[in-house]
Amino acid sequence: MTFFKKPKKLVQTKNAPENQDSSHETNSQDSSQQTHSQESQPGGVQNLSLNEILTKVKEPFSATEDLLTHEIELPSDKSRIALLYIESIVDKQLVQSMILNPLFVTDKEINFNSFKQMASIDLKKHTEMKQVQELLLQSNTLIFTDDTTCFYAMSTPVKTQRDITEPDNETIIRGAHEGFIENLSMNLALVRKRLKTPRLTVKYLQVGKETHTTIALLYVDNIANPEHVKEVEKRIKSIEADAVYTPGNIEESIEDKPFSFFPQMLSTERPDRVAANLMEGRVALVYDTSPTAHVMPVNFFSFYQSVDDYNKRWHIGSFFRFVRIMGFFIAMGLPAVYIAIVSFHFEVIPFGLILLIKSSLEDIPYPPLFEALLMELTIELIREASIRLPTRIGSTIAIVGGLVIGDAVVKAGLVSNLMIIVVAITAIAAYIVPSNEMSAAVRILRFPFMVAAATLGFLGIVFGFLILIFHLCKLYTFGSPYFAPIAPLNLADLKDAFIRAPFWKQNTRPKDVTAQKVDNANHTRKWDKS
Amino acid sequence: MRKILSLLPVLLLLTGCWDQAMLNQTKLITAGGFDYTKDGKVLTTAAVPQSVAAEAGQGNIVNQIFSASGNTARQSRLRLDRRVAERLDASKNQIILFGEAAAKKDIYQLLDVFYRDPKSALNAKLAVAKGKASDVISTRFEEPKMSSGVGEYLRDSIRSAEESATVPKENIQTVCPVMFDPGQDFALPYLEPLKKTVSIRGVALFHEHKMVGTIREPLSVTYTMLTGEKHTIAMSTTKKIFTNKKPELMNYVTFKVKKNKRSFNIDVTPEGKVSAEIKLKMKVVVTEYPRDNLATPGEVENVEKRLSKKLTKDANKVIQKLQKMNSDPYGVGRHVMAYHYPVWEKLNWKEVYPKIDFKASIDVDVIGHGIIE
């Protein structure tokens, strides 16, 4: 960007009102080039002719053919203007209706100056020549005039967003069926719609030197702990990479313990989940081009909360919450317990059952560990295949996987009936978790448990859980304990961990978030107290 | 440190799993029996169910009976193990039978194995068989479910006898402390093999480790009542309360105990004379009374009176028998030991017990007479 030298003299023309609308120059994203811009401060556009400028502007874009230029002579004063935009990301109809129509269709008297005043909201004046690239890539249409000290930009993005639909991986029965989409401003709108407070703060951050991925950092100013906000911002700003494609890239760049199996940020596609977490004092990251949002800091139990819980009657919500936590233990431990029992401690099986189990196991050639590994891997294969396959073939996989393999494997005598039951229950229990990441973590973790059970029996399982609990207790995310409210124990916060206490009991924010305001001013049912 | 940690997984490849006990490589003993051979060796008999069909849940179970002898119970077990293909495991054992001759010798010597092995089934029933235990176990019973086997059949037979209060509830664990208690004894079910079934004939009484006699079936219910057993599912018995009615069955009444309250008084005089008395207050429901007319209060009173008299007579008969056998299952000695220790120290309980003044009385209160008026 050195081809524009520092201007020797500002070309001051007679257009006095022009300076008034320079107030729109609000881009604050050029932080990385701060030093450079100081050097060319008064403006990068030099005293060059319009043609020369256009040539120079196009230069960095190599030979891309979707960068279009329209040169127009205005009918009123015969002045020339040039429109510059990247065809593929600009809505041409918008260009037509917002720029060209006002210039031509209306009054003959119109010239560029009066146009500027008409369109002053969308039209922004820029003088920094080095912003040209960025603006073009952000779907702006640039307008160059004979006055080459500055140029104008109008945002004309092409509307390619899909409809707002319910996220497939987080469906609920009752409650809002809206989900994030691949458009940042719409995603923010979905959150703002739920939190109509002036204290909801949005901070735009950009990562990726080439990709310029935009991230919005959301928090509620008077609730969220400023330390958390600062920490998240710091970590994101420290990302230096040419390309940051997915939220997963960012997650891995800023999480505390990258080697842990457990997700340390809650990924969700539900704006209501994000909004509720923001009001608990957490911080959220919302992405452009991805429907996934991240919430942090979270604890273990956040992954077991579902929006559904809060829309059910509280007893029922509590029951299903409890069932989910049970699901964690079943998914992690059941195959291990089965292996331990049939290969070490079969005396714990009730007498009425033992002969049944024994006769189903009698002719299985493999040790239980191998049997279990075989079936667990089969289940994972079926799962993975059914994700990749188009939905129409998906049901075929269900039949082939479920019926044929399940039945044939038993009939062939490779795996016992009981193992099939255990694997099936385990698989169901693993998918009970409302969070896909946590479910994956649990599914991976049961393999070490199975090995431990096959080597040491129940003792091995105990060791496994010990190590697991050590890890969970040691884990901190963004400075707050992951296994709260169990460790450190906070009895009051258990109201939203194992059970879902009624709304009128939930009148404090969780302690582990260290929110600025712990009391959430939840005083309902006052009418009942008279 | 890192190096050591990275070597840890290698441990898994070592010839480990020495302590594994795979269910499908084990033979489960469901019933065990002890006898003595003629030359004084211990003969262990074990019933091992074996599934036949491959399809689980529908498989038939065939009982295999193995037996081996040895100088001790453990040795015979080890020899038994050598006779079967897989490892024998007694952790799911349901019943241990003693041949009558073996029970009369000493049962602790045979049971010792079970108290030392942490995996042994402490809730297995104990019973004494008339004749040889091995005969009972190897009988092909008519009734056993095809899915279980002789162990479960014998256990269920004893359990149903327990429910009707014919025998007291005992297993390996409950017997243990009593066996070593000088002030108390215990009783086990006494069963007799018939051709294709087994019949619980009453209780076998023990003194210390030895069987000393039996109380046969109708009377054994009275024995169980006297232990103060609150009430079982069907503690019921039939008693003859008239002698002169025709036909013969008009003389009988059958009742079921609803409530049983025991007061047990033991008096020790300063001279060291021990006397004991068991008083039972029973609330019963009449379940069979062919003479009918139970709706009239006079008749009910009559039944109560005659029943109390009859039961008291029976109870005293039981106690007489116990004293004769020198078996103290109600724990008179334990009571003396606990509350009158100086006296206990002076007494030679084995000799004193048969001579003490021991009485019982049963008071019956009819609280129901079935659903007909």
Side-chain angles (χ1 to χ4, degrees):
Chain A
M1 290 280 191
T2 48
F3 59 96
F4 287 119
K5 299 252 169 59
K6 203 174 174 182
K8 311 224 153 47
K9 199 196 282 176
L10 265 173
V11 183
Q12 270 290 357
T13 46
K14 55 206 179 286
N15 309 337
E18 177 191 290
N19 291 332
Q20 286 170 358
D21 44 25
S22 65
S23 57
H24 294 293
E25 199 177 326
T26 49
N27 267 9
S28 59
Q29 295 150 347
D30 52 348
S31 52
S32 59
Q33 289 130 333
Q34 208 71 62
T35 49
H36 188 77
S37 63
Q38 271 170 359
E39 182 198 347
S40 57
Q41 214 204 354
V45 185
Q46 220 186 12
N47 203 353
L48 296 166
S49 79
L50 187 57
N51 283 343
E52 280 171 314
I53 283 202
L54 287 178
T55 330
K56 294 212 165 178
V57 164
K58 281 163 143 187
E59 215 172 59
F61 281 93
S62 58
T64 182
E65 285 180 7
D66 58 352
L67 178 65
L68 296 189
T69 324
H70 283 302
E71 284 185 45
I72 300 154
E73 196 172 81
L74 288 182
S76 54
D77 55 355
K78 302 290 176 217
S79 61
R80 281 199 317 144
I81 62 167
L83 301 185
L84 200 67
Y85 58 87
I86 297 174
E87 180 191 32
S88 47
I89 53 170
V90 159
D91 187 356
K92 277 189 233 159
Q93 280 199 323
L94 212 60
V95 176
Q96 182 72 39
S97 62
M98 299 291 284
I99 303 170
L100 294 179
N101 286 355
L103 279 174
F104 291 98
V105 179
T106 53
D107 210 322
K108 279 236 170 59
E109 287 298 296
I110 202 145
N111 62 7
F112 194 73
N113 278 333
S114 48
F115 167 72
K116 274 189 308 196
Q117 277 163 336
M118 272 174 61
S120 57
I121 290 178
D122 290 315
L123 201 66
K124 288 173 189 167
K125 182 185 173 189
H126 295 274
T127 51
E128 294 290 330
M129 209 58 203
K130 58 181 164 33
Q131 287 181 337
V132 165
Q133 276 185 31
E134 198 182 316
L135 288 168
L136 275 176
L137 288 170
Q138 283 172 351
S139 314
N140 286 293
T141 301
L142 302 189
I143 304 168
F144 289 88
T145 62
D146 286 329
D147 172 20
T148 51
T149 51
C150 61
F151 62 93
Y152 302 88
M154 182 178 267
S155 179
T156 51
V158 65
K159 293 262 190 302
T160 50
Q161 67 191 42
R162 62 177 169 106
D163 290 343
I164 294 172
T165 52
E166 175 155 39
D168 282 336
N169 48 4
E170 277 174 276
T171 46
I172 57 160
I173 298 169
R174 277 177 65 192
H177 295 289
E178 283 178 331
F180 286 134
I181 57 167
E182 290 82 357
N183 180 302
L184 182 58
S185 56
M186 184 47 79
N187 290 351
L188 292 179
L190 288 173
V191 176
R192 274 232 185 258
K193 207 164 90 176
R194 287 171 171 79
L195 303 180
K196 290 188 184 109
T197 160
R199 311 312 294 263
L200 175 63
T201 316
V202 178
K203 267 192 186 170
Y204 289 112
L205 301 162
Q206 276 202 335
V207 291
K209 264 184 230 146
E210 302 292 343
T211 52
H212 293 288
T213 313
T214 312
I215 307 169
L217 172 69
L218 270 70
Y219 58 94
V220 181
D221 188 35
N222 57 344
I223 297 173
N225 187 343
E227 294 292 316
H228 289 150
V229 179
K230 243 195 273 171
E231 184 66 27
V232 174
E233 207 178 335
K234 191 185 96 191
R235 288 188 194 182
I236 289 178
K237 278 188 175 159
S238 76
I239 299 175
E240 270 184 43
D242 278 353
V244 176
Y245 304 107
T246 62
N249 293 153
I250 294 174
E251 184 176 355
E252 282 180 22
S253 314
I254 66 174
E255 70 190 354
D256 288 65
K257 291 268 165 26
F259 287 102
S260 171
F261 283 111
F262 289 97
Q264 290 149 57
M265 277 171 244
L266 176 69
S267 326
T268 178
E269 296 188 19
R270 305 196 61 89
D272 43 3
R273 214 170 172 186
V274 169
N277 275 302
L278 284 175
M279 283 312 288
E280 277 190 350
R282 301 183 210 269
V283 181
L285 293 178
V286 180
Y287 302 93
D288 203 6
T289 72
S290 171
T292 305
H294 279 136
V295 175
M296 69 221 65
V298 286
N299 60 43
F300 178 79
F301 294 97
S302 309
F303 294 91
Y304 284 86
Q305 296 168 346
S306 162
V307 181
D308 250 354
D309 297 348
Y310 303 93
N311 284 325
K312 287 184 182 121
R313 298 189 59 72
W314 70 270
H315 330 76
I316 298 158
S318 295
F319 174 67
F320 286 115
R321 175 78 57 80
F322 193 71
V323 165
R324 264 181 239 137
I325 306 257
M326 290 299 297
F328 170 77
F329 288 105
I330 292 173
M332 188 117 59
L334 187 65
V337 168
Y338 172 77
I339 291 171
I341 286 178
V342 296
S343 51
F344 285 91
H345 319 280
F346 55 79
E347 57 270 16
V348 303
I349 309 173
F351 180 75
L353 201 59
I354 192 161
L355 290 175
L356 275 177
I357 294 177
K358 189 167 156 50
S359 64
S360 101
L361 279 178
E362 205 65 77
D363 300 317
I364 305 300
Y366 300 117
L369 175 66
F370 188 80
E371 202 187 342
L373 284 177
L374 185 80
M375 280 323 286
E376 292 291 353
L377 288 175
T378 312
I379 289 268
E380 294 297 309
L381 279 179
I382 295 172
R383 188 194 69 88
E384 195 64 20
S386 57
I387 293 175
R388 305 294 156 230
L389 276 174
T391 39
R392 266 162 285 153
I393 316 177
S395 54
T396 324
I397 282 295
I399 293 166
V400 172
L403 299 176
V404 180
I405 296 181
D407 199 41
V409 134
V410 173
K411 285 232 170 90
L414 287 176
V415 173
S416 66
N417 263 329
L418 217 70
M419 193 71 229
I420 299 277
I421 296 172
V422 167
V423 168
I425 292 174
T426 312
I428 293 169
Y431 292 109
I432 221 171
V433 193
S435 155
N436 195 31
E437 283 73 31
M438 185 55 101
S439 157
V442 170
R443 289 204 312 272
I444 288 290
L445 273 173
R446 66 170 167 246
F447 291 105
F449 271 92
M450 274 149 61
V451 174
T455 16
L456 291 173
F458 282 160
L459 187 66
I461 297 177
V462 168
F463 281 153
F465 269 105
L466 267 181
I467 293 169
L468 181 79
I469 286 171
F470 286 167
H471 173 68
L472 283 173
C473 291
K474 258 184 73 186
L475 195 56
Y476 272 72
T477 64
F478 296 93
S480 72
Y482 190 67
F483 208 37
I486 304 249
L489 183 67
N490 187 338
L491 289 177
D493 283 355
L494 290 175
K495 69 188 183 307
D496 206 10
F498 289 104
I499 56 158
R500 198 278 287 179
F503 183 60
W504 37 270
K505 277 280 177 198
Q506 306 238 7
N507 38 25
T508 52
R509 298 201 162 85
K511 269 265 178 58
D512 59 289
V513 190
T514 55
Q516 290 176 41
K517 286 199 296 186
V518 173
D519 186 4
N520 61 10
N522 204 350
H523 306 296
T524 57
R525 296 189 72 81
K526 270 189 179 160
W527 56 271
D528 203 17
K529 303 238 163 70
S530 64
Chain B
M1 191 59 198
R2 275 238 145 143
K3 264 185 193 168
I4 296 171
L5 280 178
S6 63
L7 282 175
L8 273 179
V10 178
L11 285 175
L12 296 178
L13 300 175
L14 298 177
T15 53
C17 308
W18 50 270
D19 58 345
Q20 265 194 354
M22 302 283 247
L23 180 58
N24 55 356
Q25 288 164 21
T26 316
K27 282 211 157 68
L28 296 170
I29 298 175
T30 58
F34 290 110
D35 292 301
Y36 282 103
T37 57
K38 273 174 201 147
D39 49 353
K41 288 191 168 173
V42 179
L43 178 75
T44 303
T45 315
V48 176
Q50 195 75 9
S51 72
V52 182
E55 196 86 348
Q58 294 145 27
N60 282 345
I61 303 280
V62 169
N63 273 295
Q64 294 177 318
I65 312 293
F66 300 101
S67 60
S69 60
N71 290 318
T72 62
R74 179 55 91 189
Q75 197 185 28
S76 67
R77 247 297 291 285
L78 293 173
R79 286 190 179 156
L80 197 63
D81 221 339
R82 248 171 278 155
R83 281 190 197 176
V84 296
E86 291 164 340
R87 179 156 50 167
L88 276 176
D89 189 286
S91 62
K92 290 272 107 176
N93 193 9
Q94 296 302 298
I95 182 162
I96 291 168
L97 276 180
F98 300 99
E100 194 166 346
K104 280 184 171 150
K105 221 168 162 185
D106 191 319
I107 66 162
Y108 176 74
Q109 292 166 4
L110 302 171
L111 281 175
D112 182 69
V113 177
F114 298 94
Y115 296 124
R116 290 185 198 282
D117 183 3
K119 277 187 123 184
S120 69
L122 288 179
N123 59 352
K125 301 277 176 216
L126 292 173
V128 178
K130 191 178 178 189
K132 283 201 170 261
S134 60
D135 293 343
V136 179
I137 288 176
S138 40
T139 313
R140 286 198 154 269
F141 295 107
E142 204 164 44
E143 208 186 341
K145 284 184 278 176
M146 292 318 274
S147 62
S148 49
V150 60
E152 199 180 358
Y153 167 68
L154 290 173
R155 181 204 67 194
D156 287 349
S157 307
I158 290 173
R159 205 173 269 173
S160 86
E162 281 169 359
E163 277 163 10
S164 62
T166 313
V167 297
K169 288 178 185 157
E170 296 286 3
N171 59 32
I172 296 186
Q173 188 164 23
T174 57
V175 154
C176 180
V178 184
M179 203 158 25
F180 294 103
D181 190 343
Q184 196 167 6
D185 296 312
F186 60 96
L188 294 179
Y190 180 72
L191 42 90
E192 187 180 330
L194 303 176
K195 253 207 175 115
K196 288 203 154 185
T197 51
V198 67
S199 161
I200 312 285
R201 274 302 154 91
V203 290
L205 276 307
F206 281 76
H207 177 62
E208 289 175 343
H209 303 164
K210 289 190 193 74
M211 175 179 160
V212 285
T214 60
I215 293 179
R216 290 308 174 101
E217 194 247 309
L219 216 52
S220 72
V221 179
T222 315
Y223 162 81
T224 316
M225 284 171 183
L226 287 172
T227 59
E229 177 80 44
K230 286 275 181 296
H231 72 280
T232 56
I233 291 174
M235 185 196 272
S236 57
T237 186
T238 307
K239 290 288 172 203
K240 189 175 185 179
I241 51 172
F242 298 104
T243 49
N244 50 357
K245 301 283 187 277
K246 290 278 177 232
E248 177 66 14
L249 68 85
M250 295 295 248
N251 293 327
Y252 289 87
V253 60
T254 309
F255 63 90
K256 192 171 149 187
V257 177
K258 282 283 170 195
K259 263 186 190 166
N260 186 11
K261 208 175 152 201
R262 180 172 87 153
S263 62
F264 194 4
N265 294 316
I266 289 151
D267 284 325
V268 180
T269 57
E271 301 88 57
K273 205 166 173 308
V274 179
S275 62
E277 188 179 17
I278 296 177
K279 274 186 188 161
L280 287 188
K281 274 202 168 150
M282 246 187 253
K283 295 210 158 88
V284 305
V285 172
V286 175
T287 53
E288 186 189 35
Y289 188 59
R291 268 168 56 82
D292 202 8
N293 288 330
L294 263 185
T296 53
E299 186 71 16
V300 174
E301 255 172 52
N302 190 16
V303 168
E304 277 175 358
K305 226 170 81 189
R306 282 168 181 272
L307 209 48
S308 302
K309 207 174 139 199
K310 170 74 179 155
L311 281 171
T312 306
K313 212 176 122 195
D314 283 355
N316 283 316
K317 217 196 269 175
V318 167
I319 285 168
Q320 261 175 33
K321 278 191 171 210
L322 290 175
Q323 277 183 302
K324 217 168 134 196
M325 290 179 225
N326 199 3
S327 174
D328 182 13
Y330 302 129
V332 182
R334 168 120 292 274
H335 199 101
V336 176
M337 201 199 299
Y339 297 105
H340 310 280
Y341 192 66
V343 179
W344 169 264
E345 266 190 322
K346 273 183 256 162
L347 296 175
N348 183 354
W349 187 245
K350 274 183 219 170
E351 282 165 22
V352 172
Y353 174 69
K355 289 170 206 149
I356 62 165
D357 183 21
F358 194 177
K359 273 184 300 192
S361 67
I362 298 179
D363 185 30
V364 176
D365 186 8
V366 175
I367 58 164
H369 48 73
I371 52 172
I372 59 159
E373 274 298 315

